[in-house]
Amino acid sequence: MAGNRKKLARSRSVRNRRRCDLLELQYYGRSEKGKRDNNEDAFLAEKIGDFWVFAVADGLGGHMAGERASAMAVKILRDEIAMGINDPKDALELIAYQIHDSILAEAATDRKFYGMATTLIAALIDQAGSCIVMNIGDSRAYMIQNGVIKHTRDQNMVGDLVASGQITEEEALNHPLRTVLDQALGDPDSVIEPAFFESILGDGWLILSSDGFHDFIRKDRIMEIVSCGGTPEAVCRKMVEEAYKGGSDDNVTVVVVKFFKKTY
């Protein structure tokens, strides 16, 4: 009996030493107004409860209206996640509808907010490396893993043309209809249908941006910047600089996330 107990104890000891891979993140966000009089973009980059939460919102409607709409989107997202969620996808979808309804209600209270709306790209990442991205409008998320860069589909007329093969991504950069959106939160004519993308993260980069960035920089240049290494802050600052060098006169917002698995 004693011999059996010793073998059992050793067995437990081996199991307790099993290694565990957990995700580590470093991140940085930056928003610049460029040549515009005001900045209608807003962003979020922080750990909230069990999730890292990243988002970029690009306000529409001019001056105070656009600023107000994007700020509302980010605040509601943060507040709702902070209250606790179970299923990330269901939570994001419900939050999107709540933001939409809240902006519509706010716009009805004051003339200066008439016509305000916002895009929203949002990502939730947990410690195990599960990532879900929700997209509404033409803000964008880039995922870079294993030397491959992919991005979300822009929900605008040009994005539809690219998806159908009628124009190339290169032609989309300067297309005159690239600002015509399929949907936006707070737009009374929009039927809100969020698009979702799910990934398992290993080692790589996640980049969220407003169109003031990605309309003026090509994917291969983004890959070059990331491949040079550096901190998320250094990469983010370089990307904002490159967008303005490329001709952007819009608000530019970029959130850069570097992720990697660490064994414990």
Side-chain angles (χ1 to χ4, degrees), residues 125-264:
I125 303 173
D126 67 18
Q127 190 75 61
S130 296
C131 172
I132 184 158
V133 175
M134 178 183 72
N135 185 36
I136 299 162
D138 65 349
S139 294
R140 189 180 286 182
Y142 292 88
M143 183 70 72
I144 303 172
Q145 291 199 96
N146 302 316
V148 177
I149 181 169
K150 299 178 180 180
H151 67 74
T152 51
R153 173 181 168 181
D154 299 338
Q155 293 179 343
N156 58 15
M157 187 171 291
V158 170
D160 298 338
L161 293 173
V162 172
S164 64
Q166 296 180 58
I167 64 172
T168 65
E169 287 194 3
E170 187 76 14
E171 291 170 330
L173 288 171
N174 298 304
H175 200 285
L177 297 178
R178 67 181 184 272
T179 59
V180 181
L181 300 184
D182 293 340
Q183 59 177 316
L185 296 170
D187 174 22
D189 296 325
S190 288
V191 176
I192 302 303
E193 296 178 342
F196 290 94
F197 309 88
E198 299 183 50
S199 302
I200 300 298
L201 306 186
D203 295 330
W205 300 78
L206 173 68
I207 299 160
L208 275 57
S209 62
S210 61
D211 62 350
F213 170 75
H214 54 254
D215 280 354
F216 296 90
I217 187 167
R218 290 168 172 78
K219 285 194 300 185
D220 57 355
R221 182 56 184 146
I222 293 173
M223 282 293 289
E224 288 174 1
I225 295 171
V226 166
S227 297
C228 290
T231 64
E233 178 177 356
V235 169
C236 185
R237 289 181 179 275
K238 181 64 175 176
M239 288 184 173
V240 172
E241 177 186 322
E242 288 283 315
Y244 285 125
K245 281 184 179 179
S248 180
D249 62 356
D250 198 355
N251 306 148
V252 171
T253 300
V254 180
V255 174
V256 174
V257 183
K258 183 178 183 179
F259 53 87
F260 52 93
K261 285 287 182 72
K262 192 170 182 179
T263 303
Y264 292 88

Side-chain angles (χ1 to χ4, degrees), residues 29-89:
R30 187 173 183 84
S31 187
E32 298 282 353
K33 72 175 185 177
K35 296 180 180 179
R36 300 296 176 91
D37 292 332
N38 60 305
N39 192 345
E40 296 181 49
D41 290 355
F43 74 89
L44 177 63
E46 61 185 75
K47 182 79 178 291
I48 304 176
D50 295 330
F51 296 92
W52 285 282
V53 185
F54 304 101
V56 169
D58 182 354
L60 314 168
H63 196 47
M64 293 183 68
E67 286 185 4
R68 179 65 176 157
S70 60
M72 286 179 65
V74 167
K75 183 180 187 304
I76 292 171
L77 176 64
R78 177 194 286 116
D79 291 349
E80 290 299 314
I81 298 295
M83 291 175 64
I85 62 171
N86 293 317
D87 183 278
K89 182 178 179 180

